Structures are given as structure tokens and as C-alpha cells.
Amino acid sequence: VDIFNEKELAKEFHNAFQSGFASSSLKQVAHELNFENLLLGDSQWETREGGSITLLCLTCQAGVSELLHMVNNGTSPDIIVDGIVALCVDLGIANHVMCDSLIKEVEPQLLWILENRELTANDVCGMVLVGFGCHTNNPDRVWDVALPDVPKPPVIDPVLPEDGSPVMKVLHLADTHFDPYYLPGSNAECDEKFFCCRAESGVVEQPEDAAGKWGDYRNCDAPEWLLQALYQHVNATYQDLDFIIWTGDLIPHIVWNTSREGNLEVIRSSVKMVHDYFPDVPVFPAIGNHESHPVNA
């Protein structure tokens, strides 16, 4: 879709924020960019042609420019947030529950950054979407790290230990993402798209849409009994563990609907499960990006 330049896109976003609705042209751009798959981490974006990358960067810059304009003109935070939510829904990025919850969850940080940092749209898009080919040439946002003028040490091949040397047996747990509300038979193809398999995930329209008992490969996380079965098997099979490394990400992926107490409850339950099955094994945990509220905070 090569129908917009940056000025035209900016006008489209201005009208959309004013009305609360995206025009058919802006929806066409959103369809071309496929925002839903973009948020899901679509690997095809890595091989997209330059035209799509350019359109993504221009669209981002136009939208952020309008946001910055509203902030600088003293627009009420409620109006700004409501406008973002409305566009999120109208452009088909996600449903109202996800758009409203996620945007309002990050609202304090988002508005503080927009109000207290001298940002340009090019800065924001160049940093947030750098992995998708957008860039900023602002030296305050992009910098070079000067490495010391010291030659690299010579490569020394490691020496393998001799046969019969002492060994340690280590269990590495990662990304357990325990969902205490996982429901077998619930809808795994739900309207929220990014997280399903709960009672509130809607009606199961086709038998194949139902979530399995032991989890589901679609946008769902691990039920308690799956983790318990995993730990029970490991405990029975490897009774000589020396220690456990647990590298975080215990919280389910419903990042738009978390809370401090909710995250703590999942952490407590997850820790109790590991302790119940490995009571005498030392555990060395690390915090993942999902443990905080909001996520990545």
C-alpha cells in the first residue's frame, strides 16, 4: 500500500484521534502492516521488503507525532488514553478488553515519558521498532561504545575433564508461565487472540478450538497439573540432582491484566510446587521480565 506519505498519515491520525474512528484508508494501512502478527512477533517481518518497513516506520512516526502534539498542547490524559484505546480496537489490533487494559496499565509510564523527555516521533519509533528496521539518527538516543585499545587475548581451546572426574547434575527450569485459571475445554481460539484457554475466553465454536487437558500449543499457558506432572517425572527419574537453576518468567502472558498481588500469588504457587517436589535440592532463581507489574517495568 503506497498511498500515504508522512504528511498524509499524520492527517489521518489527527482525524482519527479527534473522531475516535480510523478511516478506511488508515484501516487499509493497518491491514497491510498486519499489526496483530507484528505484536505476536511474526518472524516474517525479518524478511519483509523495504516498502513494508518504510510504511511501518512512517505510520509509527505519524501516530506518535500526533500523540506528542496532543501532549504538548495540554490535552487531557484521559482523552489521549481513550483515543489510543479506540484506535487500537478500530484498527483491529486487539479487542476492547485487551486494548483498554494494556494501555491503561502502562498509562503512567507512557505519559510521564511523553511529558518529561524531549522526544521526537523519530526517536520513539527508532528505539521501539529498531528490530523492524526503523532508525533514529539522534545522537542522544543512539550512541557508540568505545572499547579499550587492547588486543583480544588468544583463543585457548578448553581442556575436557578426564574420565571419572567429578560431575554435577543440574535441572534448569525456565519460562514455566503458570496459569492458575487454565480451563480444559475452553476456547483456545478466542477473540483476545494473544491469550486464551480460560473460562472468559468465549464460546468454543469448533471441537478443534477446545483447549486440551495438558495445555495447548496456541496462545495459552501451563495448567497446574502439567507442571506438577513435569516435576513429579523429573523427581522420580533424577533423584541425584545437585541443584536447580530457575531463570524466571513464572507469570502468565496475559500482560494487559496483571497486578502486583496477582503476580505475587502466581510466584508463591510456583515456588511451592517446586519446593514440594524438590524439598532438599538447592534452587537458584532469577527474576524474568514477566515477574514485574507492569511487564518489563
Side-chain angles (χ1 to χ4, degrees), residues 247-296:
T247 50
D249 276 6
L250 283 59
I251 309 302
H253 285 91
I254 189 165
V255 297
W256 58 92
N257 190 21
T258 61
S259 66
R260 182 179 185 274
E261 186 52 44
N263 285 11
L264 286 172
E265 185 57 36
V266 170
I267 292 170
R268 294 187 190 105
S269 299
S270 299
V271 169
K272 184 178 185 302
M273 275 191 274
V274 172
H275 181 266
D276 286 346
Y277 286 95
F278 307 99
D280 300 318
V281 182
V283 179
F284 298 95
I287 295 176
N289 66 302
H290 278 267
E291 270 66 87
S292 62
H293 168 73
V295 65
N296 297 325

mmCIF file of all heavy atoms in Angstrom, residues 247-296:
data_model
loop_
_atom_site.group_PDB
_atom_site.id
_atom_site.type_symbol
_atom_site.label_atom_id
_atom_site.label_comp_id
_atom_site.label_asym_id
_atom_site.label_seq_id
_atom_site.Cartn_x
_atom_site.Cartn_y
_atom_site.Cartn_z
ATOM 1 N N THR A 247 15.281 -19.779 35.830
ATOM 2 C CA THR A 247 15.563 -18.481 35.215
ATOM 3 C C THR A 247 14.306 -17.671 34.890
ATOM 4 O O THR A 247 14.240 -16.970 33.877
ATOM 5 C CB THR A 247 16.422 -18.656 33.951
ATOM 6 O OG1 THR A 247 15.841 -19.659 33.106
ATOM 7 C CG2 THR A 247 17.827 -19.073 34.309
ATOM 8 N N GLY A 248 13.319 -17.739 35.751
ATOM 9 C CA GLY A 248 12.231 -16.777 35.736
ATOM 10 C C GLY A 248 11.171 -16.959 34.674
ATOM 11 O O GLY A 248 11.084 -17.973 34.000
ATOM 12 N N ASP A 249 10.345 -15.911 34.549
ATOM 13 C CA ASP A 249 9.147 -15.881 33.711
ATOM 14 C C ASP A 249 8.127 -16.905 34.204
ATOM 15 O O ASP A 249 7.791 -17.873 33.526
ATOM 16 C CB ASP A 249 9.490 -16.102 32.236
ATOM 17 C CG ASP A 249 9.913 -14.809 31.557
ATOM 18 O OD1 ASP A 249 10.049 -13.794 32.259
ATOM 19 O OD2 ASP A 249 10.097 -14.806 30.334
ATOM 20 N N LEU A 250 7.625 -16.642 35.400
ATOM 21 C CA LEU A 250 6.632 -17.508 36.028
ATOM 22 C C LEU A 250 5.207 -17.065 35.723
ATOM 23 O O LEU A 250 4.273 -17.859 35.798
ATOM 24 C CB LEU A 250 6.829 -17.508 37.553
ATOM 25 C CG LEU A 250 7.968 -18.320 38.160
ATOM 26 C CD1 LEU A 250 9.332 -17.925 37.652
ATOM 27 C CD2 LEU A 250 7.935 -18.188 39.687
ATOM 28 N N ILE A 251 5.027 -15.788 35.401
ATOM 29 C CA ILE A 251 3.704 -15.179 35.277
ATOM 30 C C ILE A 251 3.100 -15.498 33.905
ATOM 31 O O ILE A 251 3.813 -15.525 32.900
ATOM 32 C CB ILE A 251 3.811 -13.649 35.449
ATOM 33 C CG1 ILE A 251 4.598 -13.315 36.723
ATOM 34 C CG2 ILE A 251 2.435 -13.001 35.471
ATOM 35 C CD1 ILE A 251 4.012 -13.881 37.988
ATOM 36 N N PRO A 252 1.778 -15.726 33.821
ATOM 37 C CA PRO A 252 1.166 -15.978 32.508
ATOM 38 C C PRO A 252 1.267 -14.770 31.588
ATOM 39 O O PRO A 252 1.488 -13.640 32.031
ATOM 40 C CB PRO A 252 -0.291 -16.311 32.851
ATOM 41 C CG PRO A 252 -0.517 -15.793 34.227
ATOM 42 C CD PRO A 252 0.796 -15.838 34.920
ATOM 43 N N HIS A 253 1.070 -15.014 30.298
ATOM 44 C CA HIS A 253 1.293 -13.996 29.274
ATOM 45 C C HIS A 253 0.147 -12.993 29.132
ATOM 46 O O HIS A 253 0.139 -12.219 28.174
ATOM 47 C CB HIS A 253 1.515 -14.667 27.909
ATOM 48 C CG HIS A 253 2.862 -15.292 27.758
ATOM 49 N ND1 HIS A 253 3.104 -16.614 28.080
ATOM 50 C CD2 HIS A 253 4.046 -14.782 27.325
ATOM 51 C CE1 HIS A 253 4.374 -16.899 27.838
ATOM 52 N NE2 HIS A 253 4.971 -15.811 27.382
ATOM 53 N N ILE A 254 -0.786 -12.975 30.037
ATOM 54 C CA ILE A 254 -1.900 -12.030 29.940
ATOM 55 C C ILE A 254 -1.427 -10.674 30.488
ATOM 56 O O ILE A 254 -1.881 -10.172 31.520
ATOM 57 C CB ILE A 254 -3.155 -12.566 30.662
ATOM 58 C CG1 ILE A 254 -4.366 -11.690 30.386
ATOM 59 C CG2 ILE A 254 -2.903 -12.823 32.129
ATOM 60 C CD1 ILE A 254 -5.695 -12.325 30.755
ATOM 61 N N VAL A 255 -0.481 -10.075 29.781
ATOM 62 C CA VAL A 255 0.273 -8.928 30.290
ATOM 63 C C VAL A 255 -0.582 -7.680 30.449
ATOM 64 O O VAL A 255 -0.171 -6.732 31.131
ATOM 65 C CB VAL A 255 1.476 -8.625 29.374
ATOM 66 C CG1 VAL A 255 2.442 -9.797 29.361
ATOM 67 C CG2 VAL A 255 1.018 -8.310 27.952
ATOM 68 N N TRP A 256 -1.758 -7.639 29.825
ATOM 69 C CA TRP A 256 -2.625 -6.471 29.947
ATOM 70 C C TRP A 256 -3.549 -6.568 31.158
ATOM 71 O O TRP A 256 -4.347 -5.672 31.397
ATOM 72 C CB TRP A 256 -3.471 -6.304 28.684
ATOM 73 C CG TRP A 256 -4.323 -7.503 28.365
ATOM 74 C CD1 TRP A 256 -5.611 -7.724 28.748
ATOM 75 C CD2 TRP A 256 -3.938 -8.643 27.605
ATOM 76 N NE1 TRP A 256 -6.052 -8.930 28.275
ATOM 77 C CE2 TRP A 256 -5.044 -9.521 27.559
ATOM 78 C CE3 TRP A 256 -2.760 -9.014 26.943
ATOM 79 C CZ2 TRP A 256 -5.004 -10.741 26.893
ATOM 80 C CZ3 TRP A 256 -2.734 -10.226 26.285
ATOM 81 C CH2 TRP A 256 -3.838 -11.071 26.253
ATOM 82 N N ASN A 257 -3.454 -7.641 31.906
ATOM 83 C CA ASN A 257 -4.364 -7.829 33.036
ATOM 84 C C ASN A 257 -3.615 -8.447 34.212
ATOM 85 O O ASN A 257 -4.000 -9.485 34.739
ATOM 86 C CB ASN A 257 -5.546 -8.713 32.622
ATOM 87 C CG ASN A 257 -6.643 -8.737 33.670
ATOM 88 O OD1 ASN A 257 -6.736 -7.842 34.508
ATOM 89 N ND2 ASN A 257 -7.479 -9.762 33.632
ATOM 90 N N THR A 258 -2.519 -7.810 34.599
ATOM 91 C CA THR A 258 -1.761 -8.279 35.756
ATOM 92 C C THR A 258 -1.927 -7.293 36.907
ATOM 93 O O THR A 258 -2.425 -6.181 36.737
ATOM 94 C CB THR A 258 -0.263 -8.414 35.428
ATOM 95 O OG1 THR A 258 0.258 -7.125 35.049
ATOM 96 C CG2 THR A 258 -0.036 -9.408 34.305
ATOM 97 N N SER A 259 -1.497 -7.720 38.075
ATOM 98 C CA SER A 259 -1.482 -6.847 39.250
ATOM 99 C C SER A 259 -0.331 -7.299 40.138
ATOM 100 O O SER A 259 0.173 -8.423 40.009
ATOM 101 C CB SER A 259 -2.802 -6.935 40.029
ATOM 102 O OG SER A 259 -2.963 -8.228 40.596
ATOM 103 N N ARG A 260 0.080 -6.442 41.025
ATOM 104 C CA ARG A 260 1.177 -6.798 41.926
ATOM 105 C C ARG A 260 0.807 -8.026 42.760
ATOM 106 O O ARG A 260 1.579 -8.983 42.855
ATOM 107 C CB ARG A 260 1.512 -5.611 42.835
ATOM 108 C CG ARG A 260 2.682 -5.868 43.783
ATOM 109 C CD ARG A 260 2.979 -4.639 44.630
ATOM 110 N NE ARG A 260 4.158 -4.829 45.451
ATOM 111 C CZ ARG A 260 4.156 -5.407 46.644
ATOM 112 N NH1 ARG A 260 3.010 -5.859 47.150
ATOM 113 N NH2 ARG A 260 5.274 -5.554 47.334
ATOM 114 N N GLU A 261 -0.378 -8.004 43.359
ATOM 115 C CA GLU A 261 -0.779 -9.121 44.212
ATOM 116 C C GLU A 261 -1.012 -10.384 43.385
ATOM 117 O O GLU A 261 -0.683 -11.491 43.819
ATOM 118 C CB GLU A 261 -2.048 -8.764 44.993
ATOM 119 C CG GLU A 261 -2.457 -9.820 46.011
ATOM 120 C CD GLU A 261 -1.327 -10.223 46.958
ATOM 121 O OE1 GLU A 261 -0.608 -9.328 47.454
ATOM 122 O OE2 GLU A 261 -1.155 -11.440 47.184
ATOM 123 N N GLY A 262 -1.584 -10.219 42.186
ATOM 124 C CA GLY A 262 -1.796 -11.385 41.333
ATOM 125 C C GLY A 262 -0.486 -12.038 40.929
ATOM 126 O O GLY A 262 -0.367 -13.272 40.927
ATOM 127 N N ASN A 263 0.505 -11.225 40.585
ATOM 128 C CA ASN A 263 1.821 -11.770 40.238
ATOM 129 C C ASN A 263 2.458 -12.464 41.431
ATOM 130 O O ASN A 263 3.051 -13.544 41.301
ATOM 131 C CB ASN A 263 2.733 -10.656 39.736
ATOM 132 C CG ASN A 263 2.399 -10.215 38.324
ATOM 133 O OD1 ASN A 263 1.367 -10.599 37.774
ATOM 134 N ND2 ASN A 263 3.256 -9.403 37.735
ATOM 135 N N LEU A 264 2.341 -11.847 42.605
ATOM 136 C CA LEU A 264 2.919 -12.465 43.801
ATOM 137 C C LEU A 264 2.259 -13.807 44.103
ATOM 138 O O LEU A 264 2.929 -14.758 44.524
ATOM 139 C CB LEU A 264 2.770 -11.521 44.997
ATOM 140 C CG LEU A 264 3.699 -10.307 45.013
ATOM 141 C CD1 LEU A 264 3.312 -9.359 46.147
ATOM 142 C CD2 LEU A 264 5.155 -10.740 45.163
ATOM 143 N N GLU A 265 0.959 -13.909 43.880
ATOM 144 C CA GLU A 265 0.257 -15.163 44.147
ATOM 145 C C GLU A 265 0.731 -16.263 43.201
ATOM 146 O O GLU A 265 0.930 -17.414 43.614
ATOM 147 C CB GLU A 265 -1.251 -14.962 44.013
ATOM 148 C CG GLU A 265 -2.072 -16.189 44.389
ATOM 149 C CD GLU A 265 -1.797 -16.669 45.808
ATOM 150 O OE1 GLU A 265 -1.581 -15.825 46.706
ATOM 151 O OE2 GLU A 265 -1.778 -17.905 46.010
ATOM 152 N N VAL A 266 0.927 -15.931 41.917
ATOM 153 C CA VAL A 266 1.449 -16.913 40.965
ATOM 154 C C VAL A 266 2.863 -17.326 41.358
ATOM 155 O O VAL A 266 3.225 -18.510 41.292
ATOM 156 C CB VAL A 266 1.430 -16.342 39.532
ATOM 157 C CG1 VAL A 266 2.196 -17.258 38.576
ATOM 158 C CG2 VAL A 266 -0.005 -16.174 39.047
ATOM 159 N N ILE A 267 3.671 -16.365 41.786
ATOM 160 C CA ILE A 267 5.041 -16.675 42.207
ATOM 161 C C ILE A 267 5.025 -17.594 43.423
ATOM 162 O O ILE A 267 5.757 -18.593 43.477
ATOM 163 C CB ILE A 267 5.816 -15.376 42.508
ATOM 164 C CG1 ILE A 267 6.035 -14.585 41.213
ATOM 165 C CG2 ILE A 267 7.156 -15.684 43.173
ATOM 166 C CD1 ILE A 267 6.581 -13.183 41.426
ATOM 167 N N ARG A 268 4.178 -17.279 44.407
ATOM 168 C CA ARG A 268 4.095 -18.128 45.606
ATOM 169 C C ARG A 268 3.681 -19.555 45.237
ATOM 170 O O ARG A 268 4.265 -20.535 45.726
ATOM 171 C CB ARG A 268 3.096 -17.534 46.597
ATOM 172 C CG ARG A 268 3.505 -16.197 47.201
ATOM 173 C CD ARG A 268 2.523 -15.778 48.286
ATOM 174 N NE ARG A 268 2.749 -14.398 48.709
ATOM 175 C CZ ARG A 268 1.969 -13.373 48.368
ATOM 176 N NH1 ARG A 268 0.894 -13.577 47.611
ATOM 177 N NH2 ARG A 268 2.242 -12.151 48.782
ATOM 178 N N SER A 269 2.669 -19.674 44.385
ATOM 179 C CA SER A 269 2.193 -21.005 43.992
ATOM 180 C C SER A 269 3.264 -21.764 43.213
ATOM 181 O O SER A 269 3.456 -22.971 43.414
ATOM 182 C CB SER A 269 0.925 -20.876 43.141
ATOM 183 O OG SER A 269 -0.119 -20.260 43.862
ATOM 184 N N SER A 270 3.963 -21.061 42.333
ATOM 185 C CA SER A 270 5.005 -21.703 41.527
ATOM 186 C C SER A 270 6.158 -22.172 42.409
ATOM 187 O O SER A 270 6.685 -23.282 42.232
ATOM 188 C CB SER A 270 5.516 -20.729 40.462
ATOM 189 O OG SER A 270 4.476 -20.335 39.593
ATOM 190 N N VAL A 271 6.549 -21.333 43.355
ATOM 191 C CA VAL A 271 7.640 -21.696 44.265
ATOM 192 C C VAL A 271 7.236 -22.890 45.127
ATOM 193 O O VAL A 271 8.028 -23.808 45.361
ATOM 194 C CB VAL A 271 8.027 -20.488 45.138
ATOM 195 C CG1 VAL A 271 8.959 -20.915 46.268
ATOM 196 C CG2 VAL A 271 8.685 -19.409 44.283
ATOM 197 N N LYS A 272 5.991 -22.896 45.590
ATOM 198 C CA LYS A 272 5.524 -24.009 46.425
ATOM 199 C C LYS A 272 5.569 -25.326 45.659
ATOM 200 O O LYS A 272 5.957 -26.368 46.212
ATOM 201 C CB LYS A 272 4.104 -23.741 46.918
ATOM 202 C CG LYS A 272 3.578 -24.820 47.877
ATOM 203 C CD LYS A 272 2.185 -24.490 48.375
ATOM 204 C CE LYS A 272 1.728 -25.510 49.426
ATOM 205 N NZ LYS A 272 1.739 -26.894 48.919
ATOM 206 N N MET A 273 5.176 -25.301 44.377
ATOM 207 C CA MET A 273 5.220 -26.532 43.584
ATOM 208 C C MET A 273 6.641 -27.077 43.495
ATOM 209 O O MET A 273 6.877 -28.274 43.688
ATOM 210 C CB MET A 273 4.667 -26.270 42.176
ATOM 211 C CG MET A 273 3.167 -26.370 42.064
ATOM 212 S SD MET A 273 2.609 -26.358 40.329
ATOM 213 C CE MET A 273 2.502 -24.598 40.041
ATOM 214 N N VAL A 274 7.588 -26.210 43.194
ATOM 215 C CA VAL A 274 8.980 -26.659 43.079
ATOM 216 C C VAL A 274 9.482 -27.172 44.428
ATOM 217 O O VAL A 274 10.146 -28.213 44.509
ATOM 218 C CB VAL A 274 9.870 -25.515 42.550
ATOM 219 C CG1 VAL A 274 11.340 -25.895 42.621
ATOM 220 C CG2 VAL A 274 9.488 -25.174 41.111
ATOM 221 N N HIS A 275 9.143 -26.464 45.494
ATOM 222 C CA HIS A 275 9.591 -26.894 46.823
ATOM 223 C C HIS A 275 8.971 -28.232 47.215
ATOM 224 O O HIS A 275 9.628 -29.083 47.830
ATOM 225 C CB HIS A 275 9.243 -25.835 47.865
ATOM 226 C CG HIS A 275 9.689 -26.188 49.250
ATOM 227 N ND1 HIS A 275 8.864 -26.825 50.171
ATOM 228 C CD2 HIS A 275 10.883 -26.024 49.875
ATOM 229 C CE1 HIS A 275 9.521 -27.027 51.290
ATOM 230 N NE2 HIS A 275 10.751 -26.553 51.147
ATOM 231 N N ASP A 276 7.696 -28.439 46.860
ATOM 232 C CA ASP A 276 7.026 -29.691 47.216
ATOM 233 C C ASP A 276 7.690 -30.899 46.558
ATOM 234 O O ASP A 276 7.772 -31.979 47.165
ATOM 235 C CB ASP A 276 5.553 -29.638 46.796
ATOM 236 C CG ASP A 276 4.723 -28.736 47.701
ATOM 237 O OD1 ASP A 276 5.215 -28.362 48.786
ATOM 238 O OD2 ASP A 276 3.586 -28.396 47.309
ATOM 239 N N TYR A 277 8.157 -30.738 45.324
ATOM 240 C CA TYR A 277 8.727 -31.871 44.598
ATOM 241 C C TYR A 277 10.244 -31.974 44.741
ATOM 242 O O TYR A 277 10.816 -33.035 44.487
ATOM 243 C CB TYR A 277 8.349 -31.786 43.117
ATOM 244 C CG TYR A 277 6.899 -32.137 42.872
ATOM 245 C CD1 TYR A 277 5.928 -31.141 42.795
ATOM 246 C CD2 TYR A 277 6.488 -33.462 42.748
ATOM 247 C CE1 TYR A 277 4.593 -31.454 42.587
ATOM 248 C CE2 TYR A 277 5.159 -33.790 42.541
ATOM 249 C CZ TYR A 277 4.212 -32.780 42.467
ATOM 250 O OH TYR A 277 2.885 -33.098 42.269
ATOM 251 N N PHE A 278 10.888 -30.888 45.136
ATOM 252 C CA PHE A 278 12.349 -30.910 45.303
ATOM 253 C C PHE A 278 12.717 -30.252 46.636
ATOM 254 O O PHE A 278 13.444 -29.254 46.672
ATOM 255 C CB PHE A 278 13.030 -30.172 44.143
ATOM 256 C CG PHE A 278 12.612 -30.649 42.781
ATOM 257 C CD1 PHE A 278 11.657 -29.952 42.046
ATOM 258 C CD2 PHE A 278 13.162 -31.801 42.233
ATOM 259 C CE1 PHE A 278 11.270 -30.390 40.793
ATOM 260 C CE2 PHE A 278 12.776 -32.247 40.977
ATOM 261 C CZ PHE A 278 11.820 -31.546 40.258
ATOM 262 N N PRO A 279 12.225 -30.801 47.747
ATOM 263 C CA PRO A 279 12.389 -30.117 49.037
ATOM 264 C C PRO A 279 13.837 -30.009 49.507
ATOM 265 O O PRO A 279 14.168 -29.099 50.276
ATOM 266 C CB PRO A 279 11.559 -30.982 49.994
ATOM 267 C CG PRO A 279 11.521 -32.336 49.349
ATOM 268 C CD PRO A 279 11.496 -32.076 47.882
ATOM 269 N N ASP A 280 14.689 -30.913 49.060
ATOM 270 C CA ASP A 280 16.066 -30.936 49.559
ATOM 271 C C ASP A 280 17.089 -30.499 48.513
ATOM 272 O O ASP A 280 18.296 -30.639 48.738
ATOM 273 C CB ASP A 280 16.410 -32.350 50.049
ATOM 274 C CG ASP A 280 15.486 -32.807 51.169
ATOM 275 O OD1 ASP A 280 15.187 -31.986 52.059
ATOM 276 O OD2 ASP A 280 15.044 -33.977 51.132
ATOM 277 N N VAL A 281 16.614 -29.979 47.390
ATOM 278 C CA VAL A 281 17.528 -29.566 46.320
ATOM 279 C C VAL A 281 17.669 -28.045 46.348
ATOM 280 O O VAL A 281 16.659 -27.331 46.307
ATOM 281 C CB VAL A 281 17.005 -30.015 44.940
ATOM 282 C CG1 VAL A 281 17.999 -29.613 43.845
ATOM 283 C CG2 VAL A 281 16.769 -31.521 44.922
ATOM 284 N N PRO A 282 18.890 -27.523 46.418
ATOM 285 C CA PRO A 282 19.062 -26.061 46.381
ATOM 286 C C PRO A 282 18.542 -25.482 45.063
ATOM 287 O O PRO A 282 18.748 -26.063 43.993
ATOM 288 C CB PRO A 282 20.583 -25.874 46.498
ATOM 289 C CG PRO A 282 21.089 -27.151 47.086
ATOM 290 C CD PRO A 282 20.175 -28.226 46.589
ATOM 291 N N VAL A 283 17.863 -24.352 45.161
ATOM 292 C CA VAL A 283 17.313 -23.683 43.984
ATOM 293 C C VAL A 283 17.919 -22.284 43.887
ATOM 294 O O VAL A 283 17.912 -21.527 44.859
ATOM 295 C CB VAL A 283 15.775 -23.579 44.055
ATOM 296 C CG1 VAL A 283 15.237 -22.850 42.822
ATOM 297 C CG2 VAL A 283 15.145 -24.961 44.171
ATOM 298 N N PHE A 284 18.434 -21.955 42.707
ATOM 299 C CA PHE A 284 18.999 -20.631 42.459
ATOM 300 C C PHE A 284 18.118 -19.927 41.423
ATOM 301 O O PHE A 284 18.241 -20.176 40.222
ATOM 302 C CB PHE A 284 20.442 -20.747 41.966
ATOM 303 C CG PHE A 284 21.355 -21.403 42.971
ATOM 304 C CD1 PHE A 284 21.605 -22.774 42.901
ATOM 305 C CD2 PHE A 284 21.933 -20.670 43.990
ATOM 306 C CE1 PHE A 284 22.431 -23.390 43.830
ATOM 307 C CE2 PHE A 284 22.759 -21.279 44.926
ATOM 308 C CZ PHE A 284 23.009 -22.643 44.851
ATOM 309 N N PRO A 285 17.213 -19.053 41.888
ATOM 310 C CA PRO A 285 16.260 -18.428 40.968
ATOM 311 C C PRO A 285 16.760 -17.087 40.437
ATOM 312 O O PRO A 285 17.607 -16.426 41.038
ATOM 313 C CB PRO A 285 15.027 -18.231 41.847
ATOM 314 C CG PRO A 285 15.607 -17.970 43.210
ATOM 315 C CD PRO A 285 16.897 -18.762 43.297
ATOM 316 N N ALA A 286 16.211 -16.699 39.303
ATOM 317 C CA ALA A 286 16.421 -15.370 38.735
ATOM 318 C C ALA A 286 15.059 -14.800 38.361
ATOM 319 O O ALA A 286 14.109 -15.542 38.102
ATOM 320 C CB ALA A 286 17.326 -15.436 37.504
ATOM 321 N N ILE A 287 14.964 -13.489 38.343
ATOM 322 C CA ILE A 287 13.710 -12.823 38.003
ATOM 323 C C ILE A 287 13.652 -12.591 36.501
ATOM 324 O O ILE A 287 14.607 -12.104 35.896
ATOM 325 C CB ILE A 287 13.591 -11.484 38.754
ATOM 326 C CG1 ILE A 287 13.488 -11.742 40.259
ATOM 327 C CG2 ILE A 287 12.373 -10.700 38.274
ATOM 328 C CD1 ILE A 287 13.469 -10.482 41.089
ATOM 329 N N GLY A 288 12.521 -12.948 35.894
ATOM 330 C CA GLY A 288 12.335 -12.723 34.464
ATOM 331 C C GLY A 288 11.633 -11.405 34.199
ATOM 332 O O GLY A 288 11.227 -10.692 35.121
ATOM 333 N N ASN A 289 11.450 -11.091 32.937
ATOM 334 C CA ASN A 289 10.803 -9.821 32.587
ATOM 335 C C ASN A 289 9.306 -9.828 32.865
ATOM 336 O O ASN A 289 8.674 -8.772 32.900
ATOM 337 C CB ASN A 289 11.045 -9.494 31.104
ATOM 338 C CG ASN A 289 10.366 -10.479 30.174
ATOM 339 O OD1 ASN A 289 10.623 -11.678 30.239
ATOM 340 N ND2 ASN A 289 9.506 -9.995 29.296
ATOM 341 N N HIS A 290 8.719 -11.012 33.105
ATOM 342 C CA HIS A 290 7.278 -11.083 33.358
ATOM 343 C C HIS A 290 6.921 -10.954 34.833
ATOM 344 O O HIS A 290 5.744 -10.785 35.163
ATOM 345 C CB HIS A 290 6.709 -12.403 32.816
ATOM 346 C CG HIS A 290 6.432 -12.378 31.352
ATOM 347 N ND1 HIS A 290 5.204 -12.052 30.826
ATOM 348 C CD2 HIS A 290 7.228 -12.623 30.289
ATOM 349 C CE1 HIS A 290 5.249 -12.105 29.513
ATOM 350 N NE2 HIS A 290 6.472 -12.454 29.161
ATOM 351 N N GLU A 291 7.887 -11.055 35.723
ATOM 352 C CA GLU A 291 7.555 -11.028 37.145
ATOM 353 C C GLU A 291 7.087 -9.651 37.615
ATOM 354 O O GLU A 291 6.323 -9.532 38.563
ATOM 355 C CB GLU A 291 8.769 -11.464 37.983
ATOM 356 C CG GLU A 291 8.840 -12.955 38.240
ATOM 357 C CD GLU A 291 9.078 -13.771 36.977
ATOM 358 O OE1 GLU A 291 10.236 -13.965 36.589
ATOM 359 O OE2 GLU A 291 8.077 -14.215 36.370
ATOM 360 N N SER A 292 7.563 -8.610 36.985
ATOM 361 C CA SER A 292 7.207 -7.262 37.420
ATOM 362 C C SER A 292 5.799 -6.899 36.956
ATOM 363 O O SER A 292 5.230 -7.514 36.058
ATOM 364 C CB SER A 292 8.204 -6.251 36.847
ATOM 365 O OG SER A 292 8.157 -6.252 35.433
ATOM 366 N N HIS A 293 5.248 -5.907 37.612
ATOM 367 C CA HIS A 293 3.968 -5.331 37.195
ATOM 368 C C HIS A 293 4.134 -3.828 37.063
ATOM 369 O O HIS A 293 4.523 -3.167 38.026
ATOM 370 C CB HIS A 293 2.872 -5.634 38.215
ATOM 371 C CG HIS A 293 1.619 -4.822 37.991
ATOM 372 N ND1 HIS A 293 0.758 -5.083 36.954
ATOM 373 C CD2 HIS A 293 1.122 -3.733 38.644
ATOM 374 C CE1 HIS A 293 -0.237 -4.191 36.993
ATOM 375 N NE2 HIS A 293 -0.035 -3.375 38.006
ATOM 376 N N PRO A 294 3.898 -3.270 35.867
ATOM 377 C CA PRO A 294 3.565 -3.952 34.611
ATOM 378 C C PRO A 294 4.743 -4.760 34.069
ATOM 379 O O PRO A 294 5.868 -4.611 34.537
ATOM 380 C CB PRO A 294 3.230 -2.790 33.663
ATOM 381 C CG PRO A 294 3.027 -1.597 34.523
ATOM 382 C CD PRO A 294 3.879 -1.807 35.725
ATOM 383 N N VAL A 295 4.461 -5.590 33.084
ATOM 384 C CA VAL A 295 5.504 -6.415 32.489
ATOM 385 C C VAL A 295 6.626 -5.526 31.960
ATOM 386 O O VAL A 295 6.392 -4.418 31.474
ATOM 387 C CB VAL A 295 4.912 -7.286 31.355
ATOM 388 C CG1 VAL A 295 4.414 -6.428 30.205
ATOM 389 C CG2 VAL A 295 5.927 -8.308 30.857
ATOM 390 N N ASN A 296 7.857 -5.991 32.109
ATOM 391 C CA ASN A 296 9.060 -5.293 31.628
ATOM 392 C C ASN A 296 9.368 -4.011 32.397
ATOM 393 O O ASN A 296 10.257 -3.255 31.999
ATOM 394 C CB ASN A 296 8.959 -4.945 30.134
ATOM 395 C CG ASN A 296 8.865 -6.171 29.261
ATOM 396 O OD1 ASN A 296 9.466 -7.195 29.545
ATOM 397 N ND2 ASN A 296 8.087 -6.081 28.192
#
